[in-house]
Amino acid sequence: MASTRELTQGLRTTLSKMAASVTGLLKPWTPRVLLVRWSRYNPYYLEPEPRKEVYHIPETELTPEQKEERELKSVRPIKAATNSVTSSVFNDPVLSKFVNMMMKDGDKIIAKGIITQTLENMKRKQVEKYHKAPEGKKAEIECNPYAIFHQALENCKPVIGLASIQKGGKFYQVPIPLTDNRRRFLAMKWMITECRDNKHRRTLMYEKLSQELLAAFSKEGNVVKRKHELHKMAESNRAYAHYRWW
Amino acid sequence: MQTQTLSTYFLFSPERRTANMAASGGRTVRYFLWKCGNCCSNFNTVSSNLTRQVLSRQLCVSAVLHRKNLAAAGPEKFSEEFIKKQVEEFNIGKRHLANMMGEDPETFTQGDINRSIAYLFPSGLFDKKAKPLMKHPDEVFPKQRAVQWGADGRPFHFLFYTGKQSYYSLMHDTFTKALAVENHQDRLRGKDLFTQDAKQISLVGSRWLLKEELEELLVETISEHDYARFIQLMERLLSLPYCSVEEDFVQRYRRQLEIQSSKQQVQPLQYDQHGVAYSTGDGRRKTATGTVLLRDSGSGSISINGTNYVHYFPVLQDREQLMFPLHFMGVLGRFDMQCSVSGGGHSSQAGALRLAISRAMLSFLSEEQVETMRQAGLLTPDPRIKERKKPGQEGARRKFTWKKR
């Protein structure tokens, strides 16, 4: 289920390694992992830092690691910033990732439009709730759609995942730890598939997405349910945890 | 030759690699693996761990990489008197050439020599090595080793019979230095003067010697394994807290990396007839090219190909890209921009204009601001282009439908 891509990549590298060792070309100093995925940039290039605040910290308040990082950056070339990245306060990396995942056939304009409508819709609902609520409860209602989005995504992130591992001819679902990126990816993927599949023909995407996000914010809804089911499966397969070798 | 290798090292070109992967010949696959093995050699990183550095390509290029180490190849080919005679002939010839060209013999530089030779002997040949050249004999004849044994046949160096005397003596020296540092530390511990936070050698901004550079220094060939062991030993020396005692020794085997911001070309500011400062910049992204005329008039109006930028870029993302350099430096309403752009799609046109605006802004900024712009990724031209379609596949990556039979 999870990390089949990692497994196939591992398989590809092991096959190439086996092939290389069979033909006698694998020497002790050749790298064991031959990467298939590449980038136009030389690995010497560093990632850019587009946020303004980072550069306004005075010299005295920097930690030694930050000082070292600054000195390293001054001698290394830096990659160009991508199209979706700006220094503005509205630039959110998590939201950009979500927009990209929502995008179909490279149509970012439509995906970005849906997300904007979703955020507006969420704000409207929350403001309506805010005005209808009694005085004591007003402070608890969160009206910032970005905060709701982040909190909802956090609530959907699974803590533990499952991997299909073959042992003795049978495949077992083994609980494995997940990296941060993987958890975020799963949360977003579940959210999008849920909104695409389980909606009425007439409801629009932004409407369904805002409903799901608000539900996830209050820890209800199908996505959070799916996360809990995954946790339960992992707990039930606890006995096979020792099959994991990494 | 040097520029050609620069381009191959600068951009990680996949075509050669895929061609090598596809070829069934052992020689090309070995070449590819040699390149991978070459990539294993490390350059300066903050946390240097040799086993973790997989496929780290070198950007630092020196002429050393292209010269074969002929000196280490065999016994002396040219005797000392011969080289001395060549040097005298070169100096006399240089003065004659200066007289011929009507220049002052005292201040005749190598650049002048090259130009004079190109003028007197025009060559239509393409290969640089085939053209006539006049250089100092030290650059023409490779550095050689003198004979390593005396008249009685006994070698001078005690490690001669190892075959790599300079390398092993270097390793012995390094280890002796490490032992000396440890002794120093023990003495300090004995006197209760040992502190963990002693002055450390600053490693940022420099890199270890490349294998080829080390070979040139030692005047003998060493293997990749030897080089890796040498770097390991130096790193071990650096791991000791009081290694600053042997700083001179360590710095001899490190090369300074140049500061990247000094590579930026900043055009001087120009002034038009009304005294308003202006500058131009151009940028490219995929197939789009854009030029921008930045004026310091203070209105903040932007026109692209004659139309307002709001009409030309109806998408918010493109307008954000135009504003990115201005917002980053905090000069949003200050500049007037006249842009022209052609080619590509809306996204690449916006990217091209962003680069053009950043380059035009450089003339108005101080050096630290230029460096911050560079670190934000505004000054690097984006090298990503459309990947080519390969034969035997439907697209760049998509393969044809697999049919079992």
Side-chain angles (χ1 to χ4, degrees), chain B residues 279-313:
Chain B
S279 73
T280 52
D282 45 76
R284 263 196 285 204
R285 169 95 216 272
K286 282 190 190 177
T287 25
T289 49
T291 48
V292 117
L293 179 79
L294 214 62
R295 266 208 291 264
D296 198 359
S297 42
S299 63
S301 69
I302 307 177
S303 73
I304 306 179
N305 287 354
T307 53
N308 195 11
Y309 74 110
V310 183
H311 299 311
Y312 194 83
F313 286 131

Side-chain angles (χ1 to χ4, degrees), chain A residues 22-166:
Chain A
V22 157
T23 52
L25 295 157
L26 191 72
K27 298 281 192 286
W29 54 83
T30 43
R32 292 299 197 260
V33 179
L34 297 169
L35 300 168
V36 183
R37 206 179 287 174
W38 55 275
S39 113
R40 284 290 295 185
Y41 288 107
N42 193 301
Y44 199 52
Y45 279 65
L46 298 174
E47 296 294 327
E49 179 57 74
R51 293 172 301 159
K52 272 189 354 187
E53 321 69 69
V54 175
Y55 301 105
H56 290 317
I57 309 172
E59 278 286 327
T60 45
E61 284 173 39
L62 292 175
T63 63
E65 286 93 23
Q66 280 175 319
K67 278 199 191 108
E68 248 189 274
E69 209 188 297
R70 269 209 189 171
E71 286 190 39
L72 182 72
K73 282 202 157 183
S74 69
V75 285
R76 291 263 208 119
I78 311 270
K79 297 185 190 178
T82 35
N83 259 7
S84 45
V85 150
T86 52
S87 57
S88 102
V89 290
F90 303 110
N91 179 46
D92 188 3
V94 181
L95 204 63
S96 308
K97 212 28 129 190
F98 195 73
V99 168
N100 286 343
M101 286 188 66
M102 191 89 137
M103 176 167 63
K104 275 186 178 176
D105 296 330
D107 213 338
K108 197 182 268 216
I109 304 171
I110 294 182
K112 183 84 184 155
I114 294 173
I115 300 292
T116 325
Q117 285 172 318
T118 312
L119 294 171
E120 190 195 327
N121 204 323
M122 284 203 296
K123 175 97 187 197
R124 278 183 195 277
K125 287 189 191 163
Q126 289 297 93
V127 166
E128 207 182 311
K129 242 169 63 175
Y130 180 85
H131 287 310
K132 285 192 189 152
E135 279 307 319
K137 300 284 173 83
K138 274 198 194 234
E140 292 164 4
I141 298 177
E142 176 65 61
C143 281
N144 184 4
Y146 294 95
I148 298 174
F149 176 78
H150 285 125
Q151 188 53 48
L153 221 57
E154 274 297 321
N155 294 346
C156 294
K157 282 187 188 177
V159 169
I160 194 167
L162 291 173
S164 197
I165 292 180
Q166 190 186 22

Side-chain angles (χ1 to χ4, degrees), chain A residues 1-2 156-163 173-176 178 182-183 186-187 190 222-237:
Chain A
M1 172 209 193
C156 294
K157 282 187 188 177
V159 169
I160 194 167
L162 291 173
Q173 293 294 319
V174 175
I176 54 161
L178 297 172
R182 180 77 186 153
R183 293 170 59 210
L186 282 173
W190 289 342
N222 284 345
V223 194
V224 175
K225 199 170 84 160
R226 190 167 169 178
K227 172 187 92 156
H228 288 317
E229 276 169 17
L230 177 64
H231 285 174
K232 277 190 218 139
M233 277 283 282
E235 184 58 42
S236 66
N237 282 14

Side-chain angles (χ1 to χ4, degrees), chain B residues 77-142:
Chain B
K77 293 190 178 67
F78 314 103
S79 57
E80 270 193 56
E81 302 96 50
F82 175 78
I83 301 274
K84 254 192 255 172
K85 205 157 72 83
Q86 295 294 313
V87 174
E88 280 166 22
E89 281 186 12
F90 172 77
N91 287 326
I92 295 170
K94 199 166 94 166
R95 296 183 77 89
H96 278 305
L97 187 63
N99 279 330
M100 264 193 266
M101 300 300 290
E103 309 251 359
D104 181 19
E106 306 298 328
T107 55
F108 206 55
T109 60
Q110 184 60 45
D112 296 329
I113 296 178
N114 294 340
R115 264 180 277 118
S116 325
I117 296 288
Y119 171 72
L120 291 169
F121 304 101
S123 160
L125 300 171
F126 288 113
D127 194 357
K128 295 242 163 58
K129 289 190 200 165
K131 293 182 185 162
L133 81 92
M134 183 167 166
K135 281 202 156 80
H136 192 87
D138 282 345
E139 291 170 40
V140 175
F141 298 103

Side-chain angles (χ1 to χ4, degrees), chain B residues 223-236:
Chain B
S223 74
E224 290 275 353
H225 185 71
D226 293 335
Y227 175 72
R229 292 299 253 179
F230 170 65
I231 299 293
Q232 238 175 12
L233 190 56
M234 292 300 256
E235 291 288 344
R236 193 171 148 191

